[in-house]
Amino acid sequence: MNQNFGGQTSLAASGYEGDAAYVGFSPRKPAFSLYLDCDFDKRDKLLKDFGTHKAAKACIYFKKVADINIDTLKKMIRLSVRFTQKKYPPIASAKSAPI
């Protein structure tokens, strides 16, 4: 079961309007999948302190919660959400989900 946290309706520079989650999480059998924005500040540095993982562009895979640094995870989520909110400001008429 996938789980998304927070989100907003945004208007991209291309004119596309859509809903996007700030953070996504999926507990898959081979590994947990964490979906964050791939362009937030300090991402690469924080991944070095994250713990045992594999990373793709916007997805971070890890096998056990015990293998990761929870404080680093919290920082990454905060920075990713702030970056996404700044990059894609909510449409004035849309309600953003609380974080």
Side-chain angles (χ1 to χ4, degrees):
M1 170 169 68
N2 293 343
Q3 181 64 48
N4 296 319
F5 300 94
Q8 65 189 26
T9 300
S10 300
L11 183 64
S14 66
Y16 173 78
E17 179 181 325
D19 297 326
Y22 291 132
V23 178
F25 178 78
S26 180
R28 298 184 177 177
K29 189 172 184 176
F32 293 101
S33 300
L34 175 68
Y35 303 92
L36 302 173
D37 192 288
C38 58
D39 294 324
F40 67 90
D41 290 338
K42 301 179 185 174
R43 179 182 187 268
D44 293 334
K45 180 185 180 302
L46 288 167
L47 278 175
K48 291 177 184 174
D49 296 329
F50 186 76
T52 304
H53 73 281
K54 291 184 181 178
K57 186 161 177 123
C59 191
I60 301 164
Y61 307 97
F62 57 95
K63 293 187 184 228
K64 296 186 291 185
V65 174
D67 289 344
I68 64 171
N69 181 322
I70 299 299
D71 289 333
T72 300
L73 171 63
K74 290 177 183 179
K75 283 182 192 175
M76 292 175 72
I77 291 171
R78 270 194 306 276
L79 289 171
S80 178
V81 169
R82 287 180 189 151
F83 178 83
T84 302
Q85 288 173 327
K86 187 175 181 180
K87 184 176 179 181
Y88 302 106
I91 297 171
S93 63
K95 292 183 180 179
S96 292
I99 288 292

